[in-house]
Amino acid sequence: MNKLISTLFMLISSTVMAQKTDSIFIEKLMQQHPDLFSAVLNHPQKNQIQVLYTQIIKKKNTSPKFKTYSYNLDNHRYFYPASTVKLAAVIFALEKINALRITDLTAKSTMITDSARKGQTRFDKDITSENGLPSIEHYIKKILLTSDNDAFNRLFEFIGRAEINKKLKKYGLNDSRILNRLAIGDAGESAKHTNPVKFYNANKLIYQQKAQYDPKEYPLELTNTIMGKGYLDSAEKLVSKPFNLSNKNAFSISDQQSMMIRLIYPESFPLSERFQLTPEDYQLIYTYMSKLPTNSGYPSYNPKEFWPTYAKMLYYGREKNAVLNPDLKIFNKYGDSYGFIIDNAYFKDNKNNIEFFLTAVVQSNEDGIYNDGIYEYETICYPFMKNIGKLIYDYELHRKHTKK
């Protein structure tokens, strides 16, 4: 692959990269490897593929410039974003802690979640943390290491649905919304109610937040929200009509990558447009977004269930015995559900002076039935994510970079 990438770079870098459109370059790269990409290239809409690749161009004494290329990009064509929405919750939860400006309230404070209505659950212990208690910081670790659903739900309840969606608009993420908790069948009216929360340092109450209600609906102009030919309902009975995702979370890959760029390169944005995070907040996110679950002490994970590259879809796919690239660090947030695999990543290789952003989504659901757990993850989705990650990384190895 390396020789082909090098040759391709020499042939087309001077022409494709100068074109007005950015929608051809990635396709041409993939076409050079029909053994890896022909199946999905032949069915880009069937597999609902979208790819966004952004180069980081640095020159001495100037701010970084970003040059973006896309494949099959459509910010209004809906895909289910699954756990990728959790990165927004991580950022907004830390922002809220900072905005409250309450003495002694930090991300390390004990967070006790109560319940105020039927269907809500109380949470006051966390055996995976070092002190056995839940906190914003520990929820963030679990989200970024292994994409813990309950951790996201607790942050969702603390931030509040209205504030989450207000923040998305504030940062120009206009093709996205976060409406509900994950993996508990949360929808409709129940999703509009969030639990009361209290924060403690030792036994001292620092802050309490009453249950909240958000009446808004957050409509978006989206296509492709009705999918397939059937689905299994909550009783696991087949319903023979298309699956409706029109009232679920949405997070376009353009918005995902925009959030990642703002997170990794805050200095490239005016102060008023940066996330309201402290240096310690950034370091927490960077550490656990790049850390492998097998290197974590609290929480601690069984390597058979959460192997080193478990969360690194781009570049590694889901290979349990993948050989780690010792020079490469991947900062990312992935998602998988309803046959969709999504990953939003920043690649950093100091040895080879490489860094870039890559965001992609792919889906496979041959039988057209949703909620049946039968998707072609192993044969279509994971290989695509692995191959597109390696393709772009190999291209970057041969692209001329300005030395720091």
Side-chain angles (χ1 to χ4, degrees):
M1 179 185 286
N2 289 352
K3 290 182 179 179
L4 284 171
I5 292 289
S6 182
T7 301
L8 179 64
F9 172 76
M10 295 175 65
L11 290 173
I12 68 174
S13 61
S14 62
T15 55
V16 173
M17 295 176 70
Q19 292 182 11
K20 292 182 179 180
T21 178
D22 64 3
S23 60
I24 298 174
F25 180 66
I26 296 174
E27 183 173 5
K28 284 189 174 292
L29 283 179
M30 291 192 290
Q31 287 173 345
Q32 295 298 309
H33 303 280
D35 56 320
L36 301 178
F37 296 105
S38 62
V40 290
L41 284 170
N42 291 336
H43 307 285
Q45 300 306 333
K46 176 183 177 182
N47 292 121
Q48 304 199 43
I49 299 166
Q50 296 187 54
V51 181
L52 206 58
Y53 157 48
T54 295
Q55 297 173 352
I56 302 165
I57 302 169
K58 292 183 176 180
K59 295 182 180 179
K60 291 181 179 180
N61 303 318
T62 63
S63 298
K65 304 296 182 184
F66 304 103
K67 189 174 183 64
T68 300
Y69 302 91
S70 68
Y71 173 71
N72 206 35
L73 181 68
D74 184 348
N75 289 324
H76 299 284
R77 180 179 173 85
Y78 183 76
F79 64 88
Y80 185 66
S83 294
T84 56
V85 300
K86 295 173 185 175
L87 182 59
V90 165
I91 295 167
F92 299 162
L94 291 170
E95 282 196 321
K96 183 166 183 174
I97 288 287
N98 297 334
L100 286 170
R101 298 181 180 276
I102 296 173
T103 303
D104 298 328
L105 176 64
T106 72
K108 296 179 183 291
S109 299
T110 299
M111 176 179 165
I112 304 300
T113 304
D114 210 337
S115 60
R117 66 194 308 269
K118 185 178 179 181
Q120 293 184 351
T121 56
R122 177 180 169 83
F123 198 75
D124 59 6
K125 293 181 177 63
D126 190 338
I127 61 173
T128 70
S129 69
E130 189 168 9
N131 65 0
L133 296 170
S135 68
I136 294 290
E137 181 181 85
H138 196 67
Y139 286 142
I140 287 171
K141 292 178 182 179
K142 294 201 291 185
I143 285 171
L144 297 179
L145 285 166
T146 60
S147 201
D148 189 277
N149 286 319
D150 183 71
F152 164 78
N153 294 343
R154 301 308 174 180
L155 295 191
F156 177 92
E157 291 156 359
F158 165 58
I159 306 164
R161 195 171 92 150
E163 184 169 337
I164 289 173
N165 288 284
K166 182 179 179 180
K167 286 286 184 72
L168 291 173
K169 298 301 180 187
K170 173 185 175 181
Y171 293 116
L173 308 177
N174 295 314
D175 295 311
S176 302
R177 65 185 178 206
I178 301 177
L179 303 180
N180 44 53
R181 303 166 181 86
L182 298 176
I184 60 170
D186 190 38
E189 193 66 17
S190 67
K192 298 179 179 181
H193 291 266
T194 48
N195 308 37
V197 180
K198 295 180 180 179
F199 288 85
Y200 292 84
N201 285 343
N203 294 321
K204 181 182 178 182
L205 179 65
I206 303 298
Y207 171 69
Q208 58 183 331
Q209 175 178 283
K210 295 181 179 180
Q212 300 179 71
Y213 177 72
D214 175 31
K216 295 183 179 179
E217 298 293 343
Y218 307 100
L220 292 172
E221 293 184 7
L222 299 170
T223 62
N224 195 46
T225 58
I226 309 297
M227 302 183 189
K229 61 183 181 182
Y231 62 92
L232 298 188
D233 63 15
S234 58
E236 297 190 356
K237 292 184 178 179
L238 179 63
V239 178
S240 296
K241 63 179 183 180
F243 191 47
N244 190 338
L245 293 92
S246 59
N247 293 313
K248 294 189 178 294
N249 297 334
F251 199 9
S252 72
I253 68 167
S254 291
D255 284 353
Q256 289 191 37
Q257 191 167 103
S258 174
M259 176 172 280
M260 186 68 77
I261 293 173
R262 195 184 304 260
L263 183 65
I264 300 298
Y265 274 100
E267 67 275 13
S268 293
F269 295 82
L271 278 171
S272 61
E273 296 178 14
R274 297 178 192 176
F275 296 127
Q276 301 304 298
L277 301 176
T278 67
E280 292 76 18
D281 294 335
Y282 279 110
Q283 191 57 50
L284 173 67
I285 296 173
Y286 297 160
T287 297
Y288 286 91
M289 195 159 55
S290 61
K291 179 173 280 193
L292 306 180
T294 47
N295 294 334
S296 174
Y298 293 95
S300 178
Y301 295 101
N302 182 341
K304 292 184 179 179
E305 184 178 2
F306 297 105
W307 54 95
T309 59
Y310 174 85
K312 309 302 180 186
M313 297 286 191
L314 287 168
Y315 193 85
Y316 292 108
R318 264 286 167 86
E319 292 185 3
K320 293 186 177 182
N321 298 312
V323 177
L324 285 170
N325 181 335
D327 304 319
L328 178 62
K329 290 189 77 170
I330 301 174
F331 302 72
N332 74 307
K333 184 69 205 75
Y334 82 94
D336 64 294
S337 190
Y338 298 136
F340 288 99
I341 298 294
I342 318 101
D343 203 356
N344 180 29
Y346 165 64
F347 285 63
K348 178 73 169 175
D349 178 341
N350 287 323
K351 179 182 176 181
N352 294 295
N353 193 31
I354 289 173
E355 55 178 325
F356 62 93
F357 296 94
L358 182 62
T359 310
V361 57
V362 61
Q363 192 218 28
S364 188
N365 185 9
E366 291 292 339
D367 66 6
I369 305 298
Y370 286 80
N371 275 343
D372 64 353
I374 302 173
Y375 308 110
E376 293 70 43
Y377 287 142
E378 298 289 343
T379 57
I380 300 294
C381 299
Y382 297 150
F384 175 78
M385 299 302 272
K386 170 187 172 181
N387 293 333
I388 194 68
K390 286 184 177 290
L391 179 74
I392 301 300
Y393 177 79
D394 287 344
Y395 172 76
E396 283 278 329
L397 281 174
H398 296 88
R399 186 171 75 84
K400 183 178 180 181
H401 293 265
T402 302
K403 298 297 182 183
K404 294 180 181 179

